[in-house]
Amino acid sequence: YGHQSITEHRILAFSDLQYSRKVSPRKLDFLLQEFQHAAKTYNIDYFFFLGDLINSLDEIKNHTKRAILIQWLRRLTQIAPLIMISG
């Protein structure tokens, strides 16, 4: 087989956010700051979300709640690319 190049990447893996009415925008901001700090400190290349983003589909039926979660995910991808697995 041909020559293969191996590139090292650093990932930050997390799961079980369980977004619900109990997860406030303030808590999301805190988590984002923690991820930003970790990404900078440890030179994170990718975020891996390993499942259980929401507690229930009912949680994202509300347009405002859904918009808050989507905006948070977008802000997270501005720090590092995000790979998500549904769970």
Side-chain angles (χ1 to χ4, degrees):
Y1 303 39
H3 170 68
Q4 294 182 348
S5 176
I6 297 176
T7 305
E8 223 177 88
H9 293 286
R10 291 179 180 244
I11 65 167
L12 186 152
F14 64 106
S15 68
D16 296 299
L17 179 63
Q18 301 291 352
Y19 183 68
S20 69
R21 64 180 172 270
K22 295 179 182 179
V23 179
S24 68
R26 185 175 174 201
K27 183 174 183 179
L28 290 175
D29 286 343
F30 172 78
L31 289 172
L32 192 69
Q33 289 173 8
E34 291 294 310
F35 290 140
Q36 190 169 29
H37 175 72
K40 186 176 181 179
T41 302
Y42 301 107
N43 298 315
I44 300 298
D45 297 305
Y46 296 96
F47 292 125
F48 281 25
F49 185 78
L50 305 175
D52 293 333
L53 177 64
I54 58 175
N55 196 39
S56 162
L57 289 177
D58 291 338
E59 300 296 340
I60 58 171
K61 286 182 181 177
N62 177 288
H63 174 74
T64 302
K65 288 182 182 181
R66 185 173 59 247
I68 290 169
L69 181 60
I70 290 169
Q71 181 62 27
W72 184 79
L73 291 169
R74 285 184 178 145
R75 290 172 60 201
L76 187 61
T77 63
Q78 291 174 351
I79 301 168
L82 173 65
I83 298 168
M84 294 182 68
I85 300 169
S86 62

